[in-house]
Amino acid sequence: MRRFTPLFLAAFALFSAGCEKKSQPTPADTGPQGQATQPAPTGGTPPASETLLLGEVSSLTGSQASFGVSTQRGVEMAIKEANAAGGVKGKKIAVRVYDNQSKPEEAAQAATRLVTQDKVLAIIGDVASSNSLAMADKAQAAQVPMVSPASTNPAVTQKGDYIFRVCFIDPFQGFVMAKFARENLKLDRVAILQDNKSAYSIGLAEVFAQKFAEMGGKVLATESFAQGDTDFRAQLTAIKKTKPQGIYVPGYYNDVGLIARQARELGLTVPMMGGDGWDSDKLFELAGNALDGSYFSNHYSPQNPDPRVQKFIADYKAAYGNTPDALAALGYDAARVVIAAMEKSKDLTGPSIREAIAQTKDFPGVAGTITLDENRNAVKSAAILKVGDGKAEFVTTVNP
Amino acid sequence: MSQLIQHLINGIAAGTIYALVALGYTMVYGVLKLINFAHGDVMMVGVYMGYATAMMLGRQARGSVGGVLLIFLVAMAGCALMGFLIERFAYRPLREKPRLTALITAIGISFTLSYGFQLDIGFLPGSAPRAFPQVIQPAQWFTLGDPEFPDVVLWNWQVISLLLAVALMGGLQFLVYRTRFGRAMRAVSFDHRVAALMGIPTDRVISVTFMIGSALAAGAGLLYAIKDTSVSPLMGLYVGLKAFVAAVIGGIGNVPGAMVGGLLLGLVEEFVVGYAASTWRDAVAFGFLILVLLVRPGGLFGRVAAEKV
C-alpha cells in the first residue's frame, strides 16, 4: 500500500498550497519578478518595472472571510477602473493579494512578504483591527504607506505616520449607538456582550458603556465571549437575569448571528445593537428572524440615492452578482485613495506617496466623503440601519 | 438558583456532545494506540453531509422524524465510509512504523480536511460559516418562572440529543463488552500481533473500529450543529481538541471515562463562562486537565496496564 502515500501527500500539498496563498497580480505577471533584483526595501527606490504593484492583505478564508472577500472585490474593481482609464502616470496597476486566514500572525507575515519580497508601493488592508495592528508595524518599519479600508480601532493609525484608514474609528461608532439608544430608542437599562478576543469589539463596548452612562443610562452587565465560540447560552443566561431593555453586541456577523438565535431561544426578546461588524448578507442567513428589530451602525447604506453610490452598486452587481456591502465600498474607497495619491505623488517612493495620502481632502468616496485628519483617520458620518425581514433598512444618519 | 439550573441544562447539553466525540478518540486509541487527530474534522465533514441532505430534503426535513433519521443515517454512513478510507490508505501503511509517523499523518489529514473544505470550488462549501437548518423544530418543553421572560428553559432538542447520545453510548458499551466483535476488539487492543495469531482478522476489526468511531463523530457533529445552529469548516479543530481533552480526563481508551470526561468538561466550561468570564474557558478547561493528570495520571477511569478498549 505504500504507493498510495505519495498520492496522499501530493493531495495534501495541493490543498495547503491552495489555501495559503491566493495571489493574483491582475494584469501581468512581469512586475514582481522584474523587481526581485532590486535593493533594500527602504521605500526610497522608485520601481523600474512596467506595472505599479500594490499589496493587499485580506481575510479571504477563516472566520471573517465574508469581509475579506468583499473588500478584495472592491479593491479589484477600483484597480480595473483605474487601468481602464489609463492607469497611473501611464503605467498599469497590479495588486498582489495575500490571504491572512483571519489571523493576526498570518497578516504580519503577509505584510512582511509584501514589503521585503514583492516590494509593493503601498499596502491595502486589513478589515479586522487585530490583523491591521499586526501589519502596521511591518509597513511602518519599511516606510510603505498602508491604508486600512475598515479597521476602526483607534490604535491602528497610532502605530505610525505611514498608517491610514478611510473609515471612522471605534469611539465614534460606540458614541453613535449610545446616542441612538438613549435618544431614539429611549432605553435606560442595557447589557453588553463583547468579544474579548477582538480589539474592535472591546473598543466599541468601552466607548458605548461610557457614553451611555454619561447620557444617564445604566449598563447592567458586561459579559464576554471569545471569537469562534459557538455556544453563548451561559453569557446570555447571566444577561437575562439582569432584565435589560437592549443588548449591545459589537461583534462580527458570524458570532452575532448565533448569539441572536440563542438569545431568542432563551427567551431574551429585547432588541440588539451592534456596529459595522454586523454588515454581511451572511448575518441574515445565520440569524434567521432572530435579529428582527435590531439596529447597527454602519459606514454606508446601499439605499443612499447619491448617483455616485448607485453607479458603484450597479457596476459591482454587474461584476459580482450581489449588492456590495460596506466592506466592498470601503475596499473600493481605500484603493481609490491610494491610486489618487500615486497620481499626485512626485516620484512614487514611500515617503512621497505617504505625503500625498496624508493630504487627502473631501475625496468623493462611495462610503462618504473622506477627509483625513492629523491622526490619519477619516472624518465622516455614520448610518444607522434597522434589521428586519432578512435585510437592513436605512434609519438615520448620525454626524460626528 | 434558577440560573444554576439553566447552567446545568446548558452544560449537560454541551458535555454530551464532547462525550460523543471523545468516544471516537477513545475507541481508536484503545485499539490502535493512535491519537486520531483527524477525528474532529471527520465530524465536520459529517455535519456537511447532514447539511447537504437537509438542503436536498428541503422543508420535509423540518420537524419530521423520518427526515431527521435520514439526515443522521446519511451523515453517519458517509463518515463511516470516510473513516474506512482514511484508515485503509493513510494509517494502515504506517502501522508498523514508529507511532509518531501515524500521528503526523493524522494531523496532515486534519488540515487537509479543514482547509480543503474552505476552498470554494464545485461541491466544496467555501469558508464562511453557514446556518444549519432547524431539523428539530425548537420547542420549549419546560419553563420556570414568568412565561414571557422565563428563568429556566428546557428545549426539546436538548432532551432529544441527550437521549440519542445515551443510546449511542449504550449501544457502544454493549458492542464492546457483550458481542463477539467486541471481544475481538478487546483482543486486538491487548496485543494485535498475538490476536492475529489466534485467528482474529485484525485488519477488519481495526477498519470497523474506525468506521464506528467516525459514524459516532458524525452523529455528535449533527447534534452540535443542531445545538449551535451553525456549520463551518474549522468547527472540527475546536470541538476535536476539546473532545480529546475530555477523553484524556476520563482516561483515554476507556468508554465510560470518555462519557464522564465529556460531561465534566461541558459542565466546567459552562460554569466558568456563566460565573466568571468566557476568556477563562479554555484556561480552566486545560487547567482541569492538568489537575486530573497530576492526581490520576491515567485519567479518572484509567487503570495503568489494564485492558483498554
Side-chain angles (χ1 to χ4, degrees):
Chain A
M1 274 314 118
R2 187 146 324 146
R3 67 205 146 89
F4 283 95
T5 317
L7 186 75
F8 176 77
L9 285 178
F12 177 52
L14 191 79
F15 270 129
S16 34
C19 297
E20 192 196 339
K21 188 174 150 184
K22 277 187 181 169
S23 73
Q24 304 134 324
T26 331
D29 258 324
T30 48
Q33 278 87 351
Q35 289 176 19
T37 49
Q38 283 209 355
T42 52
T45 343
S49 62
E50 291 306 306
T51 52
L52 304 172
L53 189 69
L54 296 178
E56 189 194 344
V57 181
S58 204
S59 307
L60 298 176
T61 59
S63 54
Q64 288 130 31
S66 146
F67 291 158
V69 171
S70 284
T71 310
Q72 200 250 326
R73 288 174 172 175
V75 171
E76 199 173 78
M77 224 172 96
I79 290 175
K80 262 189 202 148
E81 280 176 15
N83 282 337
V88 169
K89 297 184 170 161
K91 288 177 180 174
K92 296 282 182 214
I93 311 162
V95 63
R96 172 140 301 194
V97 185
Y98 288 126
D99 175 20
N100 62 31
Q101 299 170 23
S102 311
K103 293 177 197 158
E105 58 274 17
E106 295 287 336
Q109 209 187 353
T112 306
R113 207 145 75 178
L114 286 174
V115 297
T116 57
Q117 285 177 20
D118 303 325
K119 305 209 184 338
V120 295
L121 297 174
I123 297 177
I124 299 165
D126 183 35
V127 173
S129 296
S130 311
N131 297 343
S132 294
L133 283 168
M135 291 160 58
D137 289 324
K138 315 290 176 192
Q140 179 69 27
Q143 296 197 319
V144 173
M146 167 178 144
V147 180
S148 166
S151 289
T152 46
N153 189 286
V156 172
T157 47
Q158 288 162 10
K159 284 276 184 181
D161 59 350
Y162 276 76
I163 317 299
F164 301 87
R165 75 180 109 219
V166 294
C167 55
F168 46 63
I169 56 174
D170 287 343
F172 180 62
Q173 271 201 91
F175 159 77
V176 163
M177 198 35 93
K179 191 174 169 196
F180 182 75
R182 280 297 289 155
E183 289 175 4
N184 298 46
L185 300 178
K186 313 251 182 270
L187 302 184
D188 299 316
R189 295 170 294 119
V190 297
I192 296 175
L193 182 54
Q194 66 184 25
D195 176 355
N196 264 358
K197 242 189 194 172
S198 129
Y200 160 79
S201 184
I202 297 171
L204 256 70
E206 268 174 8
V207 177
F208 177 87
Q210 189 199 336
K211 297 289 175 193
F212 193 76
E214 274 173 19
M215 291 182 234
K218 196 164 183 304
V219 177
L220 305 166
T222 304
E223 292 288 324
S224 60
F225 62 94
Q227 202 176 97
D229 283 2
T230 50
D231 190 335
F232 307 92
R233 293 184 177 82
Q235 295 94 317
L236 291 167
T237 304
I239 284 179
K240 194 175 72 173
K241 196 186 59 175
T242 66
K243 298 201 185 344
Q245 295 170 319
I247 311 172
Y248 189 53
V249 193
Y252 292 123
Y253 65 97
N254 50 341
D255 296 323
V256 173
L258 302 189
I259 289 171
R261 273 210 196 190
Q262 291 173 20
R264 302 308 182 227
E265 202 189 279
L266 288 169
L268 258 173
T269 48
V270 295
M272 298 198 170
M273 295 162 284
D276 57 331
W278 285 27
D279 185 37
S280 167
D281 285 344
K282 289 276 169 199
L283 179 73
F284 310 117
E285 188 199 317
L286 288 171
N289 297 324
L291 274 174
D292 286 3
S294 295
Y295 299 87
F296 65 99
S297 53
N298 204 0
H299 302 270
Y300 106 129
S301 163
Q303 289 152 354
N304 187 339
D306 188 327
R308 199 168 63 218
V309 178
Q310 291 306 322
K311 179 182 182 309
F312 165 71
I313 292 171
D315 292 349
Y316 188 95
K317 263 187 182 161
Y320 304 107
N322 60 341
T323 306
D325 53 19
L327 282 307
L330 289 168
Y332 180 76
D333 283 356
R336 282 181 59 228
V337 164
V338 172
I339 293 166
M342 281 159 66
E343 190 65 67
K344 275 189 289 178
S345 145
K346 280 199 297 286
D347 51 4
L348 288 177
T349 58
S352 73
I353 295 178
R354 190 214 86 83
E355 202 53 45
I357 296 176
Q359 281 159 13
T360 302
K361 198 162 187 277
D362 297 328
F363 185 86
V366 290
T369 305
I370 301 163
T371 299
L372 293 176
D373 65 8
E374 70 279 9
N375 299 317
R376 298 167 300 283
N377 299 322
V379 182
K380 53 208 261 197
S381 57
I384 300 275
L385 307 179
K386 181 178 184 175
V387 183
D389 247 1
K391 54 183 189 294
E393 293 284 345
F394 179 76
V395 180
T396 180
T397 312
V398 182
N399 291 312
Chain B
M1 184 62 202
S2 59
Q3 203 191 347
L4 178 81
I5 298 172
Q6 184 70 60
H7 283 317
L8 263 176
I9 294 174
N10 298 346
I12 291 173
T16 323
I17 289 154
Y18 287 150
L20 266 180
V21 184
L23 280 179
Y25 272 110
T26 255
M27 272 177 62
V28 168
Y29 182 84
V31 171
L32 268 182
K33 301 285 177 290
L34 164 70
I35 295 169
N36 180 16
F37 273 119
H39 192 65
D41 301 287
V42 171
M43 179 199 94
M44 176 273 294
V45 177
V47 177
Y48 271 106
M49 288 176 183
Y51 175 82
T53 316
M55 285 296 147
M56 264 184 266
L57 286 176
R59 293 208 153 268
Q60 291 159 313
R62 297 200 165 202
S64 86
V65 179
V68 175
L69 276 181
L70 187 66
I71 289 167
F72 270 83
L73 269 181
V74 168
M76 290 175 80
C79 270
L81 179 68
M82 201 170 75
F84 171 78
L85 292 174
I86 290 175
E87 194 276 328
R88 183 74 185 75
F89 297 120
Y91 297 150
R92 192 179 297 177
L94 301 171
R95 199 175 292 157
E96 301 304 325
K97 295 279 189 309
R99 209 160 280 157
L100 199 58
T101 321
L103 184 73
I104 293 166
T105 309
I107 294 172
I109 293 179
S110 162
F111 282 8
T112 307
L113 291 178
S114 57
Y115 287 94
F117 263 64
Q118 286 194 45
L119 299 179
D120 201 355
I121 35 173
F123 60 92
L124 291 174
S127 57
R130 294 174 180 212
F132 197 82
Q134 290 177 311
V135 291
I136 299 177
Q137 206 66 30
Q140 299 181 352
W141 272 9
F142 175 79
T143 54
L144 207 67
D146 179 8
E148 286 296 305
F149 217 62
D151 292 321
V152 178
V153 186
L154 178 69
W155 289 84
N156 57 346
W157 55 262
Q158 287 173 323
V159 181
I160 293 171
S161 72
L162 182 65
L163 292 179
L164 207 57
V166 169
L168 286 170
M169 291 172 198
L172 184 66
Q173 190 73 349
F174 178 82
L175 179 87
V176 173
Y177 289 105
R178 294 276 184 276
T179 61
R180 257 172 81 88
F181 178 76
R183 195 182 299 158
M185 264 171 87
R186 283 179 289 150
V188 173
S189 151
F190 196 69
D191 189 326
H192 74 91
R193 284 188 200 84
V194 177
L197 291 176
M198 296 299 135
I200 294 172
T202 32
D203 279 350
R204 198 186 306 158
V205 170
I206 290 171
S207 277
V208 175
T209 307
F210 260 89
M211 291 167 74
I212 294 171
S214 304
L216 282 177
L222 286 176
L223 294 178
Y224 183 73
I226 289 168
K227 173 171 91 75
D228 285 358
T229 64
S230 91
V231 45
S232 78
L234 288 176
M235 68 191 292
L237 289 176
Y238 180 78
V239 185
L241 189 62
K242 283 296 168 59
F244 173 64
V245 169
V248 175
I249 287 175
I252 190 156
N254 185 295
V255 171
M259 295 188 228
V260 174
L263 283 174
L264 274 179
L265 189 67
L267 284 170
V268 165
E269 286 194 359
E270 177 74 19
F271 283 119
V272 169
V273 176
Y275 290 109
S278 87
T279 14
W280 293 15
R281 179 202 302 245
D282 292 355
V284 172
F286 287 99
F288 182 52
L289 171 73
I290 292 169
L291 190 73
V292 169
L293 291 182
L294 280 176
V295 181
R296 287 187 64 97
L300 292 178
F301 286 67
R303 271 162 298 169
V304 182
E307 69 165 14
K308 289 179 175 178
V309 168

